[in-house]
Amino acid sequence: MLGSQLLDPATGALSDGPWGSWVSPRVLSDDFALTCTRSSFTPPRFTCSYWDWNGGAPAQRWTQEYDGELSVPTYQGLAGATDKGAVLAELKTDLAATEVLIVAVSLEDGSLLAEWPAVAINQSRGRYIEAADGWIHVAPESAEASTVSLTGERTSFPLTGSNAALLVAEKGKPTIEQFRAAYETGDVSWARVVIDCPSSRQCSLNGNPFLLPKHMAYRGDPGRAGYQLAWSMSSDGRSLFMRPHGLDIRRAVCLVDIPGGKDIPLTEGSLTSRGTVAPLMRDDLVIAIEGSSLVGYRPR
């Protein structure tokens, strides 16, 4: 997907998506897209639609109307699977409101499954960490975290354990209980990858010293779950791709060789301070922007 259009990778041809030329989908997975439009009524209503990729001919699965403005931030995580999971969104029931609700939108039918207390629009949201069965929310400068399951159950626990910037399970996304074990008691025995960064560059990878490349550390210590929102493991389990500061495609990407415990430059020769920018990261392919060229990388 390229803006509101579809790009054929074989021919380079562009075609309009079925959602119309004025709508830019929120692409959340290789399997589907979510689109949201605003009505011209007063007060306005927002309608969101789920589109299955359907082999390159997107087909609409459901449409849901909401009271207020629903915004699906691309930097927030998908919990569960693409057919029965959920994504996070911001909901403003009053367009003049100074606060927004954080809500979970079901990918099965578009219903709202759960919500967090409203936060001021200009206030930091903290980190909403996607799990296999829900989310962990780590609020800014808080001594506690909260969990919300895909069915809406909420719990809280103290942040007295691991301060890992990234935790990767042996298979799939970690569960709520696995994250809780790490952050509450420091139990990371379940994790295949543990990256902890006491300072901006001086980190450890599975207990061994690991130096982050300069472009990954320009904003200082990433802190707890600092890299949890944007990572992908290669299909062979050897390489880890990380993008600092969320899913913003303008951010650089880092390739880590897990057995070797070091980063691998994606470009030959010198790198700029920004590093290599990668719009697409998945387990079998990374597409990077290098100067004015697009370059694809596969694990080997």
Side-chain angles (χ1 to χ4, degrees):
M1 298 184 192
L2 191 64
S4 63
Q5 295 183 300
L6 303 176
L7 172 67
D8 186 333
T11 65
L14 286 171
S15 60
D16 290 332
W19 36 75
S21 59
W22 64 92
V23 178
S24 293
R26 295 285 189 169
V27 182
L28 301 172
S29 163
D30 294 337
D31 305 319
F32 74 95
L34 208 59
T35 62
C36 296
T37 58
R38 176 179 175 175
S39 74
S40 58
F41 304 124
T42 303
R45 295 175 68 85
F46 279 73
T47 301
C48 294
S49 301
Y50 179 109
W51 299 84
D52 283 300
W53 180 237
N54 192 35
Q60 186 173 290
R61 178 187 295 186
W62 52 256
T63 293
Q64 184 73 258
E65 195 174 69
Y66 304 94
D67 290 322
E69 179 180 359
L70 190 75
S71 173
V72 182
T74 56
Y75 56 83
Q76 301 291 10
L78 161 66
T82 56
D83 55 346
K84 295 185 182 300
V87 295
L88 295 182
E90 296 178 354
L91 179 64
K92 287 176 63 178
T93 53
D94 178 358
L95 298 187
T98 58
E99 294 184 327
V100 294
L101 288 170
I102 306 297
V103 297
V105 182
S106 167
L107 296 180
E108 188 171 13
D109 57 13
S111 59
L112 301 184
L113 300 177
E115 67 181 43
W116 279 262
V119 294
I121 290 175
N122 60 355
Q123 178 182 328
S124 174
R125 310 288 193 268
R127 291 181 173 130
Y128 291 86
I129 304 163
E130 62 188 70
D133 50 353
W135 300 268
I136 304 285
H137 178 225
V138 179
E141 299 180 7
S142 174
E144 281 194 338
S146 61
T147 74
V148 173
S149 73
L150 287 171
T151 52
E153 289 88 1
R154 186 189 310 274
T155 60
S156 62
F157 62 91
L159 290 169
T160 52
S162 172
N163 199 47
L166 179 65
L167 297 167
V168 179
E170 287 288 345
K171 292 184 178 179
K173 297 174 185 175
T175 64
I176 287 175
E177 285 306 310
Q178 286 174 323
F179 275 127
R180 177 168 181 167
Y183 296 152
E184 183 177 14
T185 68
D187 177 12
V188 294
S189 60
W190 54 267
R192 171 173 169 73
V193 174
V194 181
I195 294 180
D196 201 338
C197 300
S199 66
S200 61
R201 293 193 67 196
Q202 298 291 337
C203 302
S204 65
L205 171 59
N206 293 343
N208 299 311
F210 173 63
L211 188 66
L212 278 176
K214 289 182 179 179
H215 68 266
M216 289 286 285
Y218 74 97
R219 286 192 177 179
D221 175 8
R224 182 183 285 107
Y227 298 135
Q228 200 70 51
L229 294 180
W231 62 271
S232 179
M233 180 83 74
S234 64
S235 52
D236 63 4
R238 180 183 178 91
S239 302
L240 177 71
F241 304 101
M242 293 192 301
R243 179 181 291 123
H245 319 302
L247 296 177
D248 185 342
I249 66 171
R250 296 169 294 181
R251 301 300 185 196
V253 67
C254 175
L255 171 61
V256 180
D257 174 48
I258 297 172
K262 60 182 180 180
D263 74 286
I264 302 173
L266 288 177
T267 55
E268 296 181 359
S270 62
L271 282 172
T272 67
S273 59
R274 291 186 65 203
T276 301
V277 178
L280 175 67
M281 293 192 309
R282 65 185 197 194
D283 63 357
D284 60 346
L285 176 66
V286 172
I287 295 179
I289 300 172
E290 296 174 7
S292 59
S293 301
L294 288 176
V295 182
Y297 294 91
R298 290 188 183 277
R300 65 179 175 89

